[in-house]
């Protein structure tokens, strides 16, 4: 079974627009779990434009499923992960000014740095995942870092899905087979939605986890959070003959 981790960054963005505590990100996380989310993901950034560092501390007290903290591994991120000890730490290469993550790690160039960081995080008891592009050349170097999993950057898949979904998914199927051979766990995230999720899961049946935030929150404006989470769960469970 592929777990659905709900990224609540956009909930924090909405809250921050008014400066108070509505919506309450801690309550939303608790509700999301009650509605069927199997994990909660946050990505605190240095400017705290959505999830704040205090949010992470508050959420660590209430999340009962898998807590996943994404981020660029600067000093503050590493200190936060050491303090919180989430189930998973996901390393992303985006600089502080990035609007959102837009590429994976060059695990060839940064292998030595990542190896040290992965070792440090695993000492804290975290499972570690590295955000990665669907290019074969990055997978063996990723394995050499000691990471437990890689997270496939799926924006290119989502961008071309409606033009030719078989062609869009082909690179992902290829690298997923390599990840399986290397015994790397496999996550996926970025621009996955109700349209493209089921097909990705069908083509890569051994996905461990998908992390979805923006599209899920947008859908919740129309369908409600509980119904939306269940809709995404059903996409992950959809048989191939229904696609």
């Amino acid at each position: 079974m592929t777990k659905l981790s709900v990224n609540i960054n956009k909930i924090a963005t909405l809250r921050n627009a008014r400066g108070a505590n509505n919506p309450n990100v801690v309550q939303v996380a608790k509700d999301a779990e009650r509605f069927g989310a199997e994990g909660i993901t946050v990505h605190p950034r240095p400017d705290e434009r959505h999830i704040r560092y205090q949010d992470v501390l508050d959420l660590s007290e209430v999340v009962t499923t898998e807590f996943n903290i994404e981020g660029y591994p600067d000093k503050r991120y590493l200190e936060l992960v050491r303090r919180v000890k989430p189930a998973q730490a996901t390393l992303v290469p985006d600089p502080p000014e990035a609007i959102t993550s837009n590429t994976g790690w060059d695990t060839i160039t940064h292998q030595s740095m990542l190896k040290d960081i992965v070792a440090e995080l695993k000492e804290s008891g975290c499972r570690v995942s590295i955000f990665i592009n669907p290019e074969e050349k990055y997978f063996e170097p990723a394995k050499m870092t000691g990471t437990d999993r890689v997270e496939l950057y799926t924006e290119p898949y989502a961008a071309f899905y409606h033009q030719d979904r078989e062609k869009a998914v082909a690179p992902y199927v290829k690298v997923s087979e390599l990840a399986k051979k290397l015994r790397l766990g496999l996550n996926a995230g970025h621009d996955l939605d109700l349209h493209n999720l089921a097909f990705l899961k069908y083509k890569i049946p051994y996905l461990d986890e998908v992390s979805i935030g923006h599209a899920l929150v947008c859908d919740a404006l129309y369908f409600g959070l509980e119904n939306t989470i269940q809709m995404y769960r059903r996409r992950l469970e959809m048989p191939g003959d229904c696609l």
Side-chain angles (χ1 to χ4, degrees):
M1 294 293 293
T2 302
K3 291 184 177 180
L4 171 65
S5 186
V6 174
N7 186 318
I8 59 172
N9 275 23
K10 286 297 184 294
I11 301 298
T13 301
L14 182 60
R15 175 201 61 189
N16 295 351
R18 291 294 293 267
N21 196 34
N22 186 26
N24 184 314
V25 296
V26 172
Q27 187 60 50
V28 170
K30 292 166 66 175
D31 289 337
E33 289 183 317
R34 183 163 56 89
F35 297 154
E38 296 154 300
I40 298 296
T41 292
V42 293
H43 187 149
R45 287 185 164 87
D47 61 5
E48 298 192 324
R49 62 181 179 268
H50 35 63
I51 287 291
R52 299 168 182 154
Y53 286 85
Q54 185 61 48
D55 292 331
V56 180
L57 300 178
D58 294 342
L59 287 162
S60 71
E61 299 293 326
V62 302
V63 172
T64 60
T65 58
E66 289 198 345
F67 194 23
N68 173 41
I69 304 178
E70 298 180 344
Y72 182 82
D74 58 13
K75 181 179 179 181
R76 195 175 185 190
Y77 173 85
L78 293 173
E79 289 176 350
L80 185 66
V81 172
R82 281 194 297 267
R83 181 173 177 181
V84 171
K85 294 180 173 57
Q88 181 171 264
T90 300
L91 306 179
V92 296
D94 55 346
E97 67 275 9
I99 295 175
T100 186
S101 304
N102 57 17
T103 190
W105 284 99
D106 179 342
T107 56
I108 301 168
T109 301
H110 300 292
Q111 183 182 130
S112 178
M113 180 193 75
L114 289 168
K115 185 175 182 179
D116 290 342
I117 292 168
V118 168
E120 180 179 343
L121 292 173
K122 291 177 82 168
E123 284 181 3
S124 299
C126 300
R127 180 175 70 237
V128 181
S129 179
I130 293 176
F131 200 55
I132 195 169
N133 292 335
E135 299 178 54
E136 288 182 287
K137 64 182 179 180
Y138 295 129
F139 279 71
E140 287 194 21
K143 177 68 175 180
M144 296 297 291
T145 68
T147 191
D148 302 291
R149 296 184 182 180
V150 293
E151 179 176 339
L152 298 175
Y153 171 50
T154 50
E155 191 275 336
Y157 163 72
F160 291 101
Y161 173 82
H162 292 288
Q163 297 178 35
D164 187 335
R165 65 181 189 175
E166 289 287 352
K167 188 174 181 179
V169 82
Y172 294 87
V173 173
K174 191 172 184 179
V175 296
S176 69
E177 291 292 341
L178 177 56
K180 185 178 181 182
K181 181 180 178 181
L182 293 170
R183 297 186 179 180
L184 283 170
L186 202 59
N187 298 341
H190 205 90
D191 286 355
L192 296 176
D193 59 26
L194 290 172
H195 301 288
N196 59 44
L197 179 59
F199 187 67
L200 182 74
K201 173 56 169 43
Y202 169 64
K203 300 296 285 192
I204 309 176
Y206 38 86
L207 274 175
D208 292 300
E209 172 190 293
V210 292
S211 176
I212 305 177
H214 182 79
L216 189 149
V217 171
C218 290
D219 289 329
L221 295 175
Y222 291 92
F223 305 125
L225 184 61
E226 180 174 10
N227 189 34
T228 298
I229 288 173
Q230 289 300 311
M231 291 169 75
Y232 275 86
R233 287 282 304 272
R234 287 194 293 272
R235 294 299 191 278
L236 291 171
E237 299 163 7
M238 188 176 291
D241 56 5
C242 293
L243 297 174

